[in-house]
Amino acid sequence: MSDDAVNITPGMQHYIDKAAKYLAQRDDYIQNTVKKWKFDTIAVHGLYSVQDAIEDYQGAIIEPIFMSSSQAYRDSDEMAAALAYMIPTWCYSRIANPSTYYYEWALALLEGYGFDGETSCCSTSSGMAAIMTAVHPFLVHTGSDAFEPRNFVATAQCYGGTFQHFTMRLQHERNIEVRWVLDPTDLDEWASKIDKNTRFLYGELPSNPQQGFFDIQKVADLAHSHGLPLICDSTVATPALLRPISHGADIVVQSATKTLTSSGFGLCGAVIARKNLVSKHSDDALKADFALNVKYLTNRDNGPNLHPMQAIMTLNDMRTLRSKVDMMSRSTMAVAEFLQNHPKVESVQYLGLPDHPLHELASRYMWLVDAEHDAQYGKPVNRYGHLMSFCVKGGAGNTRDFFDGLQRIWRATDLGRIKSVATIPAISTHQQQGEEGRQLAGIPANMVRLCVGGEHPDDVKADLDQALNGIGKK
Ligand SMILES: *Cc1c(COP(=O)(O)O)cnc(C)c1O
């Protein structure tokens, strides 16, 4: 994988042969061992094996944090082979690093769990860097015409940063048109926005904060019938509840900052792609292994790389992902039911509630992974994650009153934490896009986004109750 052709010397060939043997062994370990494990085992170990530890890492049972800018080589042949990407390498940490490597493999395997094709992953410094990494390669010029029109189709209900990136960075600054889908459950609306200049379809689900959802398989089929890839932002679900690639999506972006790093220790992102994805506008190398391609070429040149320290902190949080998401989803359900019956609350948006208009659709896709193999459940179980939103009666003023009265729940523009966190999207995450943009995305001024953490749900409910009852009493 290289921009230029390289002359292979006999010395280089020696390293290439050695690497081929190593890669065959690794592939065997993945196919015959790791891929046979259940989700929890993969989350705990990923690709870090006893053999790796003993041979390369002094037997350390935890993946080491390699805080090194670069790797040294035995001789010029090894260096030449490494820098031409003919052998696996850590050459320079903007490109590759052992710590980010184990993080990438864990996510590739978790997002690819239950999928019978192959997946790979490119780590990024944040969720926004993941989105940039995923979408930009499809927007390159394909002909000699520098002014060829380009567009893409995306769900209007999306994270505020994504909305800004698509409207400001791509549309206003680069003249690449974003065509918003207002009702992503309407396949005709998606179809009506695709033309010969469309480069990809993009959807966030469940969306943050409105709980938008769509039929992944149908939208993927539509994309593929036009030779286009479907990119999904699956941050809110995490692979513990939803793995879009196994439903036809080509690429998943994760703001690993959120539930994947529930401790809140920092920012982190990932792009996970199926091998041999669909994209009629792209070259064969990009399609064959999108994630490795963007890692070794695009991101080498752009530099949105992940720090090794953060990679291992996130990896460490991911080990218990399934049980954590299960627990927090159950608590969120209890809190949603409580709020639904509260006299100060106008409406509750949570996909787990049977009267949510998208409940039935979401229930076809959102399952706690491996519940059927869990002694506690022994059968498939729906779970809907720990993000919900609700609207407070009496408008923006009452909403701020309630918000200011919260005592245990943190007021912060954050989600995915082991600690419960609330925000008012209209004055925070979705403030930049203005009233019109908020209307498009369905963000009223009295909406509160709540992400329920690992506390006992009774304590979360008690805090919400006292804050709601305190409205107008200051
Ligand atoms: C937070 C978030 C992002 C952006 O991720 P960062 O890590 O903050 O850059 C993207 N998508 C969704 C759904 C998010 O919640």
Side-chain angles (χ1 to χ4, degrees):
M1 190 180 296
S2 172
D3 290 332
D4 299 300
V6 181
N7 247 338
I8 302 177
T9 66
M12 287 165 73
Q13 192 60 49
H14 159 76
Y15 287 109
I16 294 168
D17 293 344
K18 213 169 92 181
K21 214 181 282 170
Y22 163 77
L23 288 174
Q25 261 175 19
R26 184 181 75 178
D27 196 51
D28 180 66
Y29 180 63
I30 293 168
Q31 298 308 327
N32 296 314
T33 303
V34 181
K35 284 239 177 189
K36 300 206 161 130
W37 288 337
K38 300 281 188 295
F39 188 91
D40 281 340
T41 311
I42 296 174
V44 169
H45 295 284
L47 208 56
Y48 190 64
S49 64
V50 174
Q51 192 184 349
D52 281 9
I54 302 278
E55 286 179 6
D56 296 328
Y57 305 123
Q58 317 280 358
I61 72 164
I62 301 299
E63 299 82 349
I65 299 171
F66 272 80
M67 300 251 294
S68 176
S69 51
S70 55
Q71 175 191 11
Y73 296 104
R74 290 173 180 82
D75 54 29
S76 62
D77 286 323
E78 190 181 25
M79 179 183 262
L83 274 293
Y85 298 143
M86 289 170 168
I87 59 174
T89 178
W90 316 122
C91 47
Y92 188 70
S93 280
R94 171 156 35 76
I95 302 162
N97 173 283
S99 304
T100 56
Y101 168 85
Y102 287 111
Y103 161 83
E104 283 165 347
W105 266 107
L107 266 175
L109 291 162
L110 294 177
E111 283 290 354
Y113 186 71
F115 169 59
D116 58 12
E118 283 186 78
T119 49
S120 54
C121 171
C122 171
S123 57
T124 59
S125 55
S126 68
M128 288 317 302
I131 291 167
M132 180 189 80
T133 298
V135 309
H136 284 218
F138 298 113
L139 297 171
V140 296
H141 291 296
T142 51
S144 53
D145 179 8
F147 298 100
E148 66 181 319
R150 288 157 294 164
N151 69 68
F152 60 98
V153 180
T155 53
Q157 293 197 345
C158 64
Y159 175 68
T162 308
F163 190 91
Q164 287 299 109
H165 187 91
F166 288 175
T167 50
M168 300 310 297
R169 300 315 140 222
L170 294 178
Q171 184 158 288
H172 287 234
E173 293 180 356
R174 275 157 226 217
N175 203 27
I176 296 165
E177 188 190 355
V178 49
R179 298 181 171 173
W180 296 114
V181 173
L182 299 184
D183 176 6
T185 62
D186 179 358
L187 221 57
D188 293 336
E189 189 184 345
W190 284 96
S192 72
K193 300 203 161 148
I194 300 171
D195 65 20
K196 69 180 191 342
N197 299 315
T198 302
R199 297 300 184 86
F200 61 85
L201 307 189
Y202 183 99
E204 183 176 314
L205 82 170
S207 70
N208 164 13
Q210 321 85 331
Q211 308 271 304
F213 208 86
F214 59 86
D215 195 324
I216 308 171
Q217 188 69 59
K218 289 205 172 120
V219 175
D221 288 346
L222 175 70
H224 296 162
S225 74
H226 290 272
L228 303 174
L230 170 65
I231 304 171
C232 290
D233 182 336
S234 187
T235 296
V236 169
T238 83
L241 301 182
L242 176 68
R243 292 168 304 287
I245 290 174
S246 62
H247 299 291
D250 296 274
I251 298 176
V252 166
V253 292
Q254 281 287 349
S255 169
T257 311
K258 308 294 167 50
T259 308
L260 294 174
T261 314
S262 55
S263 60
F265 272 143
L267 270 68
C268 193
V271 176
I272 303 98
R274 71 164 71 218
K275 302 245 180 108
N276 304 310
L277 53 71
V278 178
S279 173
K280 69 177 173 193
H281 297 285
S282 304
D283 63 35
D284 289 343
L286 191 78
K287 288 185 288 194
D289 194 337
F290 180 86
L292 267 204
N293 214 268
V294 293
K295 178 176 167 62
Y296 283 145
L297 302 177
T298 330
N299 281 9
R300 173 196 66 191
D301 304 337
N302 286 335
N305 58 293
L306 178 62
H307 193 280
M309 179 87 178
Q310 184 62 49
I312 298 302
M313 285 201 290
T314 300
L315 187 67
N316 208 39
D317 276 353
M318 277 162 36
R319 299 188 213 277
T320 50
L321 183 69
R322 195 185 76 95
S323 47
K324 233 171 0 195
V325 168
D326 181 25
M327 174 189 65
M328 296 192 296
S329 297
R330 281 185 282 135
S331 294
T332 309
M333 189 70 194
V335 170
E337 283 167 349
F338 165 77
L339 286 172
Q340 210 175 22
N341 294 316
H342 201 286
K344 299 278 167 74
V345 172
E346 182 181 284
S347 62
V348 178
Q349 294 80 43
Y350 185 54
L351 289 170
L353 293 173
D355 62 359
H356 190 288
L358 298 173
H359 174 75
E360 192 270 327
L361 177 61
S363 301
R364 297 207 320 256
Y365 282 104
M366 297 188 70
W367 298 97
L368 176 66
V369 64
D370 284 345
E372 62 275 27
H373 304 297
D374 189 318
Q376 193 182 350
Y377 300 118
K379 61 176 194 326
V381 166
N382 281 119
R383 289 287 179 260
Y384 304 90
H386 63 139
L387 178 73
M388 59 171 291
S389 56
F390 61 97
C391 294
V392 177
K393 276 185 189 162
N398 276 5
T399 306
R400 288 172 87 135
D401 240 24
F402 151 78
F403 192 64
D404 295 342
L406 290 171
Q407 288 171 359
R408 175 62 281 147
I409 298 168
W410 301 95
R411 284 172 288 274
T413 57
D414 204 356
L415 64 93
R417 298 295 146 249
I418 196 71
K419 301 182 174 193
S420 291
V421 172
T423 189
I424 301 178
I427 60 166
S428 57
T429 50
H430 291 68
Q431 176 265 327
Q432 297 151 36
Q433 66 203 64
E435 192 49 44
E436 204 184 321
R438 280 195 293 276
Q439 249 174 26
L440 198 65
I443 311 279
N446 65 334
M447 178 185 269
V448 175
R449 183 181 79 187
L450 174 65
C451 198
V452 178
E455 304 93 344
H456 194 286
D458 289 353
D459 295 324
V460 179
K461 285 191 261 181
D463 193 21
L464 291 165
D465 193 41
Q466 66 78 26
L468 283 165
N469 292 330
I471 291 173
K473 293 194 181 136
K474 255 196 299 196

